[in-house]
Amino acid sequence: MAKRLGLVLIVGVVCGCGGSRPPPPIPWQQYSGERAYQHVEKLVGYGPRPSGSDGLGRAATYIKAQLEEYGLTVEEQVFIEQTPLGPKQFRNIVAKTRAQPSGPNRVIIIGSHYDTKFFTNITFVGANDGGSSSGALLEIARIAAEQPSLWFVFFDGEEAVRQYSDQDGLWGSKFFVEDLKGKNQLSQVKAMVLLDMIGDKNLNVTVNGSLIPQAFDASRAAGFRDYFAYGGNGMLDDHVPFMRAGIPAVDLIDFEFGSGPGLNDYWHTEKDTLDKISSRSLEIVGKTTLRLIELLQNQATGH
Ligand SMILES: [Zn+2]
């Protein structure tokens, strides 16, 4: 890893072309799992956060305030879709680092959904599912705020209002990709990294989509290789609209969120609460993600 970075640096100096200058190193060791955990506590404190709810609105206000504090340029994408439960309003939050040189294949998107699944029969606060990745993404944004060409995207409407299908779920990420297409900006995006359900105390992350070797390399570089396993291509999550649009994308998700090995019985239940997650798990995935960003920045991937 260090060798590869050094080589890129030399090439940059020799050719003297500002555009290919490698970005400054990311101070990934300063990432704090405690800070990420405190964000999750805040989000959970707003109660259930399904799309269109007051809780989601309060979460959006908090997330935007943090991102602005880090010096990022923050936009909101507000849109209405016809869902199986009627028209619903959604809001994605998009934060960009200040340095955004134009050109193809430069932008790396790091994403998380911040909505929680809508239930009428239980109080679902989504500490892990919706909370954990959003808390980690805020801390990632703080650490990487000085980097060029990073977009931190908090998707609304990842959860299906009824049940996942081609017509339900992934509302925010689908809208985001269609919007990029409409603006002719798809070619600017080099890669997309998605985090989802990464707070479980008993952490078993699977790596899904493309960029799987890169994610393994990053986990090794951060010192956490043992927590990551091969996932494959079967995971339906917010990275899928990006992959379908031809953008290399990877989803880091722990889909064994339960009372024992191999079980997922806390998922989408009232048991998805703060006591099930840990700052250590948020640290493991957060630091790995920062190393993955660094690796992708210095890699000539295209699409
Ligand atoms: Zn969910």
Side-chain angles (χ1 to χ4, degrees):
M1 186 55 47
K3 235 179 198 170
R4 189 200 298 250
L5 296 181
L7 182 65
V8 173
L9 178 71
I10 290 162
V11 171
V13 169
V14 169
C15 89
C17 35
S20 65
R21 200 153 36 97
I26 299 174
W28 63 276
Q29 275 154 319
Q30 288 172 25
Y31 175 102
S32 160
E34 289 297 330
R35 274 179 181 260
Y37 188 90
Q38 285 161 14
H39 293 311
V40 184
E41 272 182 324
K42 275 275 183 196
L43 295 171
V44 167
Y46 299 130
R49 306 175 298 286
S51 302
S53 68
D54 289 348
L56 183 104
R58 285 192 285 271
T61 302
Y62 175 75
I63 289 169
K64 284 193 294 179
Q66 298 301 309
L67 295 167
E68 276 161 11
E69 205 181 293
Y70 307 151
L72 301 165
T73 307
V74 184
E75 306 157 16
E76 234 185 302
Q77 283 182 337
V78 180
F79 55 98
I80 292 170
E81 302 276 14
Q82 295 298 327
T83 78
L85 296 180
K88 259 194 191 296
Q89 183 183 279
F90 298 93
R91 48 202 292 195
N92 290 336
I93 302 166
V94 185
K96 300 181 180 178
T97 53
R98 295 242 181 246
Q100 296 284 331
S102 59
N105 255 332
R106 288 177 187 265
V107 171
I108 298 171
I109 294 172
I110 309 99
S112 158
H113 79 89
Y114 77 104
D115 64 308
T116 56
K117 186 158 174 65
F118 173 66
F119 288 98
T120 51
N121 54 338
I122 58 164
T123 303
F124 180 74
V125 296
N128 194 26
D129 189 358
S132 64
S133 53
S134 299
L137 185 54
L138 279 173
E139 178 62 357
I140 288 166
R142 183 180 77 89
I143 297 296
E146 305 297 324
Q147 292 290 310
S149 307
L150 298 186
W151 297 359
F152 308 101
V153 185
F154 294 78
F155 297 109
D156 190 2
E158 185 272 335
E159 302 288 0
V161 300
R162 270 205 189 126
Q163 206 174 357
Y164 272 125
S165 73
D166 274 352
Q167 282 78 44
D168 197 0
L170 313 183
W171 296 99
S173 51
K174 281 182 178 170
F175 180 89
F176 187 89
V177 170
E178 284 308 309
D179 183 66
L180 276 184
K181 275 186 201 163
K183 292 179 188 157
N184 234 343
Q185 291 181 347
L186 215 50
S187 62
Q188 288 184 21
V189 182
K190 183 178 192 181
M192 192 269 184
V193 179
L194 179 69
L195 309 181
D196 196 3
M197 298 177 68
I198 45 90
D200 188 359
K201 274 180 177 169
N202 181 13
L203 190 67
N204 298 288
V205 180
T206 60
V207 183
N208 304 269
S210 50
L211 306 171
I212 292 176
Q214 291 89 337
F216 284 148
D217 284 350
S219 69
R220 196 176 295 111
F224 300 126
R225 177 63 183 85
D226 290 350
Y227 295 93
F228 294 82
Y230 181 82
N233 248 326
M235 192 62 72
L236 185 63
D237 208 343
D238 283 323
H239 66 305
V240 169
F242 289 85
M243 289 191 62
R244 286 182 182 155
I247 295 172
V250 69
D251 181 18
L252 307 182
I253 181 168
D254 176 356
F255 212 48
E256 275 184 29
F257 182 43
S259 54
L263 296 178
N264 200 22
D265 56 326
Y266 296 159
W267 176 60
H268 287 181
T269 74
E270 70 282 357
K271 291 184 177 147
D272 184 352
T273 45
L274 276 173
D275 55 301
K276 310 296 188 311
I277 71 168
S278 73
S279 56
R280 174 69 176 159
S281 295
L282 299 173
E283 180 192 345
I284 290 166
V285 178
K287 285 184 171 172
T288 294
T289 303
L290 287 164
R291 301 241 68 183
L292 178 56
I293 295 168
E294 218 170 41
L295 193 152
L296 294 170
Q297 282 175 328
N298 291 290
Q299 195 175 62
T301 55
H303 61 89

